[in-house]
Amino acid sequence: MFFFFIGLRPMNRSATHIHLVTEFILLGFPGCWEIQIFLFSLFLVAYVLTLLGNGTIICAVRWDPRLHTPMYFLLGNFAFLEIWYASSTVPNMLANILSKTKTISFSACFLQFYFFFSLGTTECLFLAVMAYDRYLAICHPLHYPTIMTVKLCRILVSLCWLAGFLGYPIPIFFISQLPFCGSNTIDHFLCDMDPLMSLSCAPAPITEFVFYTQSSLVLFFTIMYILRSYTLLLRAVFQVPSAAGRRKAFATCGSHLVVVCLFYGTVMVMYVSPTYGIPTLMQKILTVAYSIMSPLFNPLIYSLRNKDMKLALRNILFRMRISQNS
């Protein structure tokens, strides 16, 4: 699918007197050089911790036999997704902060646009699948081992990746063919839908409608499915007679619910509510929250609230110390 975005250039060249845009300028965050260095250091530390945290979860799930269950298989794949989601924006943002020109090529801009939305859609689908897994584990515990098999987990994970990456090539390709012939300055730290559409010198209401409808439907159906799953789940939990059983049930789904609230809370504000009423700086902060902070906090949320994960992480650290001493 990558060939859609290789060497992208607008096809409308009939107006030869118009200067067509070949690159964009990403303004990023405003501020003096000292503020830029502070932001660079902050985002660099956040990115490194994101790689380490999610990479540690992947290693724990792979190396600890007690974590070879459907829930942790999904969690390991989700951590892998978070690494790529953060990598779709942070490295370019770090380079942009230190750059004097702050430019990004036309093709690179739309490649980032494609990966950012595809990975975000994949994350929505992953969260819905993880909610389905928790629903089965608590509401149908006797049938859970026969329903949520390793084969089904692999199929669901593959479908999440395929649906996420096959949904956006065509609409983003048509957006890339719009004539960008005026200003090339994007008041953001990444190539997003609203800034790009505002730079086009030809209206494209159908393309814009299709893109926003597609994004809104993904968000709406996944969040509605998650809410439905947790409604049934909570109903089943409250029917558990013992307090210890209820606490155990809440512990298995509490981390996932926190992650859902963190991710969807900011994404819904950005892409469902009208953004024309949100200041540009606030849009940037919201984008940082779900694209950078969410992948950073997710490993902490899952590891700190999960006894099995904490035990697996301790075992990994213990093995590392033994290997270093030997």
Side-chain angles (χ1 to χ4, degrees):
M1 65 187 69
F2 300 149
F3 68 87
F4 277 107
F5 306 102
I6 301 300
L8 283 177
R9 296 288 293 118
M11 292 189 297
N12 184 5
R13 299 180 181 178
S14 58
T16 56
H17 64 282
I18 297 178
H19 174 68
L20 295 179
V21 171
T22 59
E23 62 183 15
F24 296 100
I25 299 174
L26 294 173
L27 294 182
F29 288 92
C32 60
W33 179 246
E34 288 76 13
I35 294 178
Q36 298 300 310
I37 294 299
F38 170 76
L39 291 175
F40 177 85
S41 304
L42 179 65
F43 291 135
L44 178 61
V45 171
Y47 182 57
V48 172
L49 292 177
T50 298
L51 297 181
L52 291 176
N54 288 285
T56 302
I57 286 182
I58 294 172
C59 293
V61 172
R62 183 175 180 84
W63 292 343
D64 195 320
R66 289 167 297 186
L67 301 185
H68 292 175
T69 61
M71 182 179 76
Y72 292 109
F73 176 79
L74 294 173
L75 179 57
N77 280 273
F78 185 71
F80 178 74
L81 168 65
E82 292 290 65
I83 290 176
W84 285 105
Y85 192 41
S87 299
S88 68
T89 58
V90 180
N92 182 76
M93 182 174 61
L94 293 174
N96 185 67
I97 291 175
L98 298 180
S99 172
K100 293 183 179 180
T101 59
K102 300 185 180 300
T103 59
I104 182 172
S105 68
F106 192 92
S107 299
C109 182
F110 277 91
L111 273 172
Q112 183 188 60
F113 184 25
Y114 168 69
F115 278 106
F116 181 68
F117 271 88
S118 296
L119 290 166
T121 300
T122 305
E123 179 153 349
C124 292
L125 299 174
F126 255 101
L127 291 173
V129 170
M130 294 169 77
Y132 172 67
D133 173 72
R134 292 300 83 208
Y135 161 75
L136 286 178
I138 294 176
C139 297
H140 303 283
L142 298 179
H143 299 286
Y144 178 76
T146 57
I147 297 176
M148 188 57 71
T149 60
V150 175
K151 181 179 179 181
L152 179 60
C153 283
R154 290 175 177 171
I155 291 174
L156 292 175
V157 168
S158 300
L159 289 176
C160 288
W161 284 100
L162 286 174
F165 276 82
L166 293 180
Y168 286 98
I170 293 177
I172 292 181
F173 175 78
F174 280 109
I175 294 172
S176 70
Q177 302 309 302
L178 296 175
F180 296 90
C181 51
S183 173
N184 66 338
T185 301
I186 297 176
D187 191 6
H188 213 316
F189 62 85
L190 56 80
C191 294
D192 205 351
M193 179 63 177
D194 282 339
L196 285 171
M197 293 303 297
S198 65
L199 295 182
S200 174
C201 52
I206 296 178
T207 302
E208 194 170 357
F209 174 78
V210 170
F211 185 90
Y212 277 115
T213 300
Q214 179 178 336
S215 301
S216 298
L217 287 176
V218 170
L219 288 171
F220 176 77
F221 282 112
T222 53
I223 191 62
M224 290 304 296
Y225 179 80
I226 292 171
L227 292 175
R228 177 181 178 274
S229 298
Y230 272 98
T231 300
L232 298 174
L233 187 150
L234 291 174
R235 184 186 303 172
V237 168
F238 285 124
Q239 293 176 354
V240 176
S242 65
R246 288 194 295 270
R247 284 195 299 269
K248 184 178 179 180
F250 278 122
T252 61
C253 59
S255 300
H256 179 258
L257 189 58
V258 172
V259 171
V260 168
C261 294
L262 177 63
F263 179 76
Y264 276 96
T266 50
V267 171
M268 296 286 278
V269 173
M270 276 293 298
Y271 296 106
V272 176
S273 62
T275 57
Y276 55 78
I278 304 176
T280 303
L281 181 59
M282 182 56 65
Q283 292 185 33
K284 297 177 186 178
I285 294 174
L286 289 171
T287 306
V288 167
Y290 69 81
S291 65
I292 300 175
M293 294 297 106
S294 180
L296 170 64
F297 291 143
N298 287 352
L300 295 175
I301 294 170
Y302 279 112
S303 60
L304 292 177
R305 296 178 58 89
N306 190 296
K307 294 181 180 179
D308 294 333
M309 182 60 67
K310 286 191 286 188
L311 182 60
L313 294 177
R314 287 197 196 102
N315 291 336
I316 290 178
L317 293 175
F318 181 71
R319 291 177 185 177
M320 291 176 62
R321 289 176 182 175
I322 293 178
S323 62
Q324 289 176 356
N325 294 332
S326 61

